[in-house]
């Protein structure tokens, strides 16, 4: 299908399902325009729309889409962390963007709102699908997958290189202690202490010497690369330019998109909703265990022209929970696309 046909199918599905349900369409397929086209079918009703977005960059993308397509409807935006400030009685329809990100606090608010919900995303794992169904009663009504988009030439093909890393002897000793404490408090049902040790163990993996060293080597070998990690201090160590909550220069993302910066490390703010053109290389120093987050990060580099193939380098620590996280995150990915280094 062409991009226009994909968008029309998405728009028709929203309208046919009475503006309620989960609508999935691969990143780069034009979901925002498709949603706006669906809303135009309601223009004669003068309804008020609330769009919930996860981060400021996604909000910026929506505003750019409104201007591009000259949408004039009564539409209001809110970042999900500020949802509790919203008076839902002021709106007739809710659009939940990146709906795979659904916090328990959001569920409570959305339930109480009692409004139709158009939940959209570019990727949806089974866990998120079940959460939307069992908590909000929203079923998947449309599903245009990443693999469909690759077949149709909407996005580029890709290859994933998995790089094995190891813990240093002192790190391994500390890791084993933290794991023992984690497992003990899990067995006795002390969730809070269990999670404290889980967090300390995760930070140890994120900051492990071999993993940071190998990531730096891969980054150095690329002329232009977007890097993802989990901690701001690690991000600051991997590249000179960063984009995260503590970054002083908030223009770094735009500079990277414009080609003024060729190496940028982000934490989470640009996992989704941000288009970077002509980007072939992604390095994922730390991968979250959620399938959707993996897909979204990988797709930042699949907007290439012609037959070019995006190259994704992912690092993980062997003989640790990091291996479990990566296996879970890449469960959606065809095995033939993965190389182990």
């Amino acid at each position: 299908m062409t991009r226009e046909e994909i968008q029309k199918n998405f728009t028709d599905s929203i309208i046919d399902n009475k503006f309620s349900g989960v609508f999935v369409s691969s990143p780069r397929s034009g979901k925002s325009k498709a949603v706006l086209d669906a809303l135009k079918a309601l223009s004669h009703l003068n309804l008020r729309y609330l769009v919930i977005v996860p981060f400021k960059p996604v909000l910026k993308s929506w505003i750019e889409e409104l201007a591009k397509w000259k949408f004039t409807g009564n539409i209001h935006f809110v970042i999900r962390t500020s949802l509790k400030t919203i008076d839902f009685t002021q709106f007739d329809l809710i659009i939940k963007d990146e709906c795979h990100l659904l916090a328990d606090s959001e569920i409570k608010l959305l339930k109480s709102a009692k409004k139709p919900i158009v939940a959209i995303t570019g990727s949806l794992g089974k866990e998120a699908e079940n959460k939307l169904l069992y908590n909000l009663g929203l079923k998947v009504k449309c599903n245009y997958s990443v693999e469909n988009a690759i077949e149709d030439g909407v996005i580029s093909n890709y290859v994933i290189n998995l790089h094995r890393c190891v813990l240093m002897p002192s790190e391994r000793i500390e890791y084993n202690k933290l794991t023992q404490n984690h497992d003990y408090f899990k067995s006795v049902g002390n969730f809070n202490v269990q999670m404290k040790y889980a967090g300390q163990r995760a930070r140890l993996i994120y900051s492990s010497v071999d993993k940071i060293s190998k990531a730096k080597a891969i980054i150095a070998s690329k002329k232009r690369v977007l890097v993802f990690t989990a901690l701001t201090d690690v991000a600051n160590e991997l590249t000179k330019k960063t984009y995260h909550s503590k970054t002083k220069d908030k223009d770094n993302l735009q500079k990277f998109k414009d080609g003024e910066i060729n190496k940028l490390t982000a934490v989470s703010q640009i996992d989704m909703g941000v288009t970077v053109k002509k980007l072939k290389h992604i390095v994922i120093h730390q991968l979250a265990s959620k399938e959707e987050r993996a897909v979204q990060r990988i797709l930042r580099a699949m907007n290439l022209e012609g037959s070019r193939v995006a190259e994704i380098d992912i690092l993980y620590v062997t003989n640790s929970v990091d291996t479990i996280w990566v296996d879970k995150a890449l469960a959606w990915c065809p095995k033939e696309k993965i190389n182990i280094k």
Side-chain angles (χ1 to χ4, degrees):
M1 290 193 290
T2 65
R3 194 185 303 271
E4 290 73 20
E5 290 171 333
I6 296 161
Q7 290 173 355
K8 186 178 185 306
N9 285 348
F10 199 71
T11 296
D12 290 346
S13 181
I14 293 172
I15 294 171
D16 292 345
N17 286 285
K18 301 184 183 342
F19 295 83
S20 179
V22 181
F23 304 88
V24 185
S25 190
S26 167
R28 309 291 188 269
S29 60
K31 290 186 298 298
S32 299
K33 182 181 185 301
V35 171
L36 294 177
D37 285 345
L39 296 183
K40 287 177 183 177
L42 301 174
S43 59
H44 62 291
L45 298 176
N46 296 316
L47 301 180
R48 297 158 297 176
Y49 312 115
L50 176 68
V51 181
I52 304 169
V53 298
F55 309 118
K56 286 183 179 179
V58 180
L59 171 57
K60 182 182 177 184
S61 295
W62 267 98
I63 292 172
E64 289 171 351
E65 289 289 295
L66 292 184
K68 180 178 179 180
W69 304 112
K70 297 179 173 59
F71 184 81
T72 57
N74 189 344
I75 193 165
H76 180 83
F77 294 91
V78 62
I79 295 175
R80 62 196 289 252
T81 52
S82 299
L83 196 59
K84 62 180 179 295
T85 66
I86 295 298
D87 177 5
F88 289 101
T89 63
Q90 300 299 309
F91 301 98
D92 303 295
L93 176 67
I94 296 171
I95 297 154
K96 166 65 176 165
D97 196 8
E98 308 297 355
C99 65
H100 58 278
L101 298 176
L102 184 65
D104 291 341
S105 57
E106 286 182 273
I107 291 171
K108 184 177 180 180
L109 290 168
L110 291 173
K111 275 186 174 180
S112 65
K114 298 181 180 179
K115 305 288 182 179
I117 300 173
V118 176
I120 63 172
T121 183
S123 54
L124 188 69
K126 198 64 183 176
E127 183 179 338
E129 181 181 345
N130 289 338
K131 196 169 187 179
L132 286 159
L133 176 61
Y134 296 130
N135 289 284
L136 297 175
L138 297 175
K139 296 180 180 180
V140 175
K141 304 293 186 178
C142 175
N143 194 347
Y144 181 74
S145 70
V146 170
E147 293 305 315
N148 290 147
I150 292 173
E151 277 186 29
D152 290 336
V154 173
I155 55 177
S156 311
N157 210 336
Y158 65 96
V159 62
I160 293 176
N161 299 313
L162 288 181
H163 300 265
R164 292 172 288 193
C165 305
V166 298
L167 295 175
M168 298 295 102
S170 60
E171 292 174 332
R172 175 56 65 184
I173 291 171
E174 181 64 16
Y175 176 86
N176 289 341
K177 286 181 180 178
L178 292 171
T179 298
Q180 289 171 4
N181 288 332
H182 169 273
D183 292 348
Y184 170 74
F185 285 103
K186 181 179 180 180
S187 68
V188 299
N190 192 326
F191 179 77
N192 290 335
V193 179
Q194 171 200 339
M195 294 311 296
K196 181 188 80 169
Y197 285 110
Q200 292 177 358
R201 182 176 63 179
R203 177 171 279 274
L204 186 150
I205 289 171
Y206 302 161
S207 305
S208 59
V209 173
D210 189 44
K211 197 172 194 184
I212 289 177
S213 176
K214 287 182 177 176
K216 285 183 174 180
I218 297 169
I219 294 165
S221 71
K222 312 296 184 186
K223 182 178 179 181
R224 178 168 165 79
V225 61
L226 178 60
V227 185
F228 288 103
T229 189
L231 300 175
T232 57
D233 55 344
V234 174
N236 295 338
E237 188 172 351
L238 292 177
T239 56
K240 291 181 180 180
K241 302 295 183 179
T242 61
Y243 191 82
H244 51 66
S245 60
K246 297 179 181 178
T247 299
K248 292 182 180 179
D249 190 348
K250 298 303 181 183
D251 292 331
N252 279 350
L253 174 58
Q254 190 60 49
K255 289 176 181 177
F256 182 74
K257 292 169 71 173
D258 292 341
E260 295 177 35
I261 295 173
N262 282 321
K263 296 184 180 182
L264 183 73
T265 300
V267 175
S268 62
Q269 288 88 342
I270 58 175
D271 282 8
M272 55 203 75
V274 175
T275 299
V276 182
K277 295 182 178 180
K278 299 180 180 178
L279 177 64
K280 183 178 180 180
H281 296 110
I282 294 260
V283 171
I284 302 179
H285 166 263
Q286 186 61 50
L287 188 62
S289 61
K290 300 290 186 182
E291 291 181 47
E292 300 93 347
R293 297 295 289 273
V295 173
Q296 294 282 359
R297 289 187 170 189
I298 288 168
L299 284 165
R300 296 313 103 201
M302 292 172 66
N303 192 33
L304 298 168
E305 297 174 356
S307 58
R308 297 177 70 200
V309 176
E311 296 179 17
I312 318 298
D313 290 284
I314 300 175
L315 297 97
Y316 71 103
V317 174
T318 58
N319 300 315
S320 77
V321 69
D322 205 9
T323 303
I324 298 172
W325 293 338
V326 169
D327 286 345
K328 185 177 179 182
L330 297 180
W332 58 274
C333 182
K335 300 304 180 186
E336 62 269 17
K337 293 187 183 294
I338 300 177
N339 301 315
I340 300 178
K341 299 290 186 178

mmCIF file of all heavy atoms in Angstrom, residues 6-22:
data_model
loop_
_atom_site.group_PDB
_atom_site.id
_atom_site.type_symbol
_atom_site.label_atom_id
_atom_site.label_comp_id
_atom_site.label_asym_id
_atom_site.label_seq_id
_atom_site.Cartn_x
_atom_site.Cartn_y
_atom_site.Cartn_z
ATOM 1 N N ILE A 6 -2.549 3.809 3.372
ATOM 2 C CA ILE A 6 -2.419 3.412 4.780
ATOM 3 C C ILE A 6 -3.138 4.415 5.671
ATOM 4 O O ILE A 6 -3.893 4.043 6.579
ATOM 5 C CB ILE A 6 -0.927 3.325 5.171
ATOM 6 C CG1 ILE A 6 -0.225 2.230 4.363
ATOM 7 C CG2 ILE A 6 -0.774 3.058 6.671
ATOM 8 C CD1 ILE A 6 1.274 2.359 4.340
ATOM 9 N N GLN A 7 -2.915 5.687 5.396
ATOM 10 C CA GLN A 7 -3.559 6.738 6.183
ATOM 11 C C GLN A 7 -5.074 6.680 6.045
ATOM 12 O O GLN A 7 -5.802 6.830 7.034
ATOM 13 C CB GLN A 7 -3.032 8.104 5.749
ATOM 14 C CG GLN A 7 -1.590 8.364 6.139
ATOM 15 C CD GLN A 7 -1.048 9.652 5.551
ATOM 16 O OE1 GLN A 7 -1.721 10.318 4.770
ATOM 17 N NE2 GLN A 7 0.178 10.003 5.911
ATOM 18 N N LYS A 8 -5.563 6.442 4.833
ATOM 19 C CA LYS A 8 -7.015 6.379 4.625
ATOM 20 C C LYS A 8 -7.621 5.203 5.388
ATOM 21 O O LYS A 8 -8.697 5.329 6.004
ATOM 22 C CB LYS A 8 -7.345 6.258 3.132
ATOM 23 C CG LYS A 8 -8.852 6.337 2.852
ATOM 24 C CD LYS A 8 -9.160 6.272 1.378
ATOM 25 C CE LYS A 8 -10.655 6.486 1.125
ATOM 26 N NZ LYS A 8 -11.519 5.555 1.890
ATOM 27 N N ASN A 9 -6.947 4.050 5.354
ATOM 28 C CA ASN A 9 -7.434 2.898 6.101
ATOM 29 C C ASN A 9 -7.500 3.190 7.601
ATOM 30 O O ASN A 9 -8.435 2.795 8.300
ATOM 31 C CB ASN A 9 -6.535 1.679 5.852
ATOM 32 C CG ASN A 9 -6.751 1.059 4.491
ATOM 33 O OD1 ASN A 9 -7.721 1.376 3.800
ATOM 34 N ND2 ASN A 9 -5.862 0.171 4.083
ATOM 35 N N PHE A 10 -6.475 3.900 8.085
ATOM 36 C CA PHE A 10 -6.413 4.256 9.498
ATOM 37 C C PHE A 10 -7.562 5.208 9.851
ATOM 38 O O PHE A 10 -8.276 5.013 10.838
ATOM 39 C CB PHE A 10 -5.058 4.916 9.782
ATOM 40 C CG PHE A 10 -4.660 4.925 11.238
ATOM 41 C CD1 PHE A 10 -4.282 3.758 11.874
ATOM 42 C CD2 PHE A 10 -4.640 6.111 11.962
ATOM 43 C CE1 PHE A 10 -3.898 3.763 13.215
ATOM 44 C CE2 PHE A 10 -4.258 6.129 13.295
ATOM 45 C CZ PHE A 10 -3.879 4.953 13.919
ATOM 46 N N THR A 11 -7.748 6.212 9.011
ATOM 47 C CA THR A 11 -8.842 7.180 9.206
ATOM 48 C C THR A 11 -10.194 6.478 9.171
ATOM 49 O O THR A 11 -11.046 6.689 10.049
ATOM 50 C CB THR A 11 -8.800 8.260 8.107
ATOM 51 O OG1 THR A 11 -7.584 9.002 8.224
ATOM 52 C CG2 THR A 11 -9.979 9.212 8.229
ATOM 53 N N ASP A 12 -10.401 5.642 8.164
ATOM 54 C CA ASP A 12 -11.681 4.930 8.024
ATOM 55 C C ASP A 12 -11.953 4.031 9.218
ATOM 56 O O ASP A 12 -13.100 3.918 9.671
ATOM 57 C CB ASP A 12 -11.687 4.102 6.740
ATOM 58 C CG ASP A 12 -11.742 4.966 5.484
ATOM 59 O OD1 ASP A 12 -12.042 6.174 5.605
ATOM 60 O OD2 ASP A 12 -11.486 4.432 4.384
ATOM 61 N N SER A 13 -10.893 3.395 9.732
ATOM 62 C CA SER A 13 -11.063 2.499 10.874
ATOM 63 C C SER A 13 -11.514 3.272 12.107
ATOM 64 O O SER A 13 -12.389 2.817 12.858
ATOM 65 C CB SER A 13 -9.745 1.765 11.170
ATOM 66 O OG SER A 13 -9.897 0.884 12.254
ATOM 67 N N ILE A 14 -10.943 4.440 12.339
ATOM 68 C CA ILE A 14 -11.340 5.271 13.483
ATOM 69 C C ILE A 14 -12.810 5.673 13.358
ATOM 70 O O ILE A 14 -13.586 5.568 14.318
ATOM 71 C CB ILE A 14 -10.450 6.535 13.573
ATOM 72 C CG1 ILE A 14 -9.014 6.136 13.928
ATOM 73 C CG2 ILE A 14 -10.997 7.511 14.620
ATOM 74 C CD1 ILE A 14 -8.023 7.283 13.864
ATOM 75 N N ILE A 15 -13.192 6.110 12.174
ATOM 76 C CA ILE A 15 -14.585 6.550 11.950
ATOM 77 C C ILE A 15 -15.550 5.371 12.069
ATOM 78 O O ILE A 15 -16.582 5.455 12.744
ATOM 79 C CB ILE A 15 -14.716 7.213 10.569
ATOM 80 C CG1 ILE A 15 -13.896 8.514 10.528
ATOM 81 C CG2 ILE A 15 -16.187 7.507 10.248
ATOM 82 C CD1 ILE A 15 -13.788 9.131 9.145
ATOM 83 N N ASP A 16 -15.203 4.249 11.414
ATOM 84 C CA ASP A 16 -16.075 3.072 11.417
ATOM 85 C C ASP A 16 -16.280 2.509 12.826
ATOM 86 O O ASP A 16 -17.323 1.914 13.120
ATOM 87 C CB ASP A 16 -15.503 1.978 10.514
ATOM 88 C CG ASP A 16 -15.541 2.362 9.041
ATOM 89 O OD1 ASP A 16 -16.257 3.328 8.695
ATOM 90 O OD2 ASP A 16 -14.829 1.723 8.232
ATOM 91 N N ASN A 17 -15.275 2.683 13.686
ATOM 92 C CA ASN A 17 -15.364 2.167 15.056
ATOM 93 C C ASN A 17 -15.831 3.234 16.050
ATOM 94 O O ASN A 17 -15.610 3.101 17.260
ATOM 95 C CB ASN A 17 -14.020 1.583 15.481
ATOM 96 C CG ASN A 17 -13.738 0.255 14.816
ATOM 97 O OD1 ASN A 17 -14.316 -0.761 15.176
ATOM 98 N ND2 ASN A 17 -12.863 0.262 13.813
ATOM 99 N N LYS A 18 -16.471 4.278 15.492
ATOM 100 C CA LYS A 18 -17.118 5.306 16.309
ATOM 101 C C LYS A 18 -16.154 5.967 17.299
ATOM 102 O O LYS A 18 -16.499 6.236 18.453
ATOM 103 C CB LYS A 18 -18.330 4.728 17.035
ATOM 104 C CG LYS A 18 -19.385 4.152 16.092
ATOM 105 C CD LYS A 18 -20.593 3.689 16.837
ATOM 106 C CE LYS A 18 -21.649 3.037 15.973
ATOM 107 N NZ LYS A 18 -21.637 3.235 14.550
ATOM 108 N N PHE A 19 -14.927 6.199 16.839
ATOM 109 C CA PHE A 19 -13.932 6.943 17.614
ATOM 110 C C PHE A 19 -13.670 6.312 18.988
ATOM 111 O O PHE A 19 -13.573 7.013 19.998
ATOM 112 C CB PHE A 19 -14.343 8.413 17.744
ATOM 113 C CG PHE A 19 -14.350 9.138 16.425
ATOM 114 C CD1 PHE A 19 -15.448 9.046 15.582
ATOM 115 C CD2 PHE A 19 -13.250 9.871 16.006
ATOM 116 C CE1 PHE A 19 -15.459 9.690 14.350
ATOM 117 C CE2 PHE A 19 -13.254 10.509 14.774
ATOM 118 C CZ PHE A 19 -14.352 10.426 13.938
ATOM 119 N N SER A 20 -13.562 5.001 18.982
ATOM 120 C CA SER A 20 -13.254 4.288 20.220
ATOM 121 C C SER A 20 -12.470 3.025 19.896
ATOM 122 O O SER A 20 -12.876 2.249 19.029
ATOM 123 C CB SER A 20 -14.540 3.929 20.962
ATOM 124 O OG SER A 20 -14.243 3.221 22.144
ATOM 125 N N GLY A 21 -11.329 2.835 20.572
ATOM 126 C CA GLY A 21 -10.536 1.638 20.346
ATOM 127 C C GLY A 21 -9.055 1.957 20.278
ATOM 128 O O GLY A 21 -8.624 3.091 20.468
ATOM 129 N N VAL A 22 -8.282 0.903 20.000
ATOM 130 C CA VAL A 22 -6.828 1.031 19.855
ATOM 131 C C VAL A 22 -6.495 0.922 18.375
ATOM 132 O O VAL A 22 -6.903 -0.035 17.702
ATOM 133 C CB VAL A 22 -6.093 -0.070 20.642
ATOM 134 C CG1 VAL A 22 -4.584 0.089 20.500
ATOM 135 C CG2 VAL A 22 -6.497 -0.035 22.118
#
